[in-house]
Amino acid sequence: MADLKTMRNIGGEMARKLAAVGVRTPEELAEAGAKDAFFRLKTLYPGVCLVHLYALEGAVRGVDFHELPPEVKADLKEFSDALKEKGGPPG
């Protein structure tokens, strides 16, 4: 089984938190997607922030989070803001 820490942007602490919400492998993160994984994290760890969401998306895409295209960052920010405003997933 592959280790989440082999993915870009994922260190020991993020891997531990992801495992706590049921995401234990790179395949599980890719299947869940960054938004779902972030929503799960936010539920258990309310202090996670937008940078964590960027890191997750970068991990799924295999790029450093600061290399995400501006339109992707804008979409992720909108998702994160909606979680803050509504207390749940957007839509």
Side-chain angles (χ1 to χ4, degrees), residues 10 24 27 36 40-41 44 48 50 58 63 71 82 89:
I10 306 294
R24 293 175 180 83
E27 295 79 17
D36 181 60
R40 293 187 209 181
L41 286 171
L44 191 58
V48 296
L50 181 60
V63 300
E71 62 274 9

Side-chain angles (χ1 to χ4, degrees), residues 8-10 14 50-60 65:
R8 288 192 184 209
N9 310 311
I10 306 294
M14 178 67 90
L50 181 60
V51 175
H52 293 95
L53 180 54
Y54 290 167
L56 292 168
E57 183 67 26
V60 169
F65 72 90

Side-chain angles (χ1 to χ4, degrees), residues 57-90:
E57 183 67 26
V60 169
R61 291 173 180 246
V63 300
D64 290 334
F65 72 90
H66 64 272
E67 295 174 357
L68 292 171
E71 62 274 9
V72 171
K73 286 184 176 180
D75 177 62
L76 295 172
K77 182 173 181 346
E78 184 178 314
F79 178 82
S80 177
D81 289 348
L83 287 179
K84 283 190 248 181
E85 291 170 11
K86 297 178 184 174

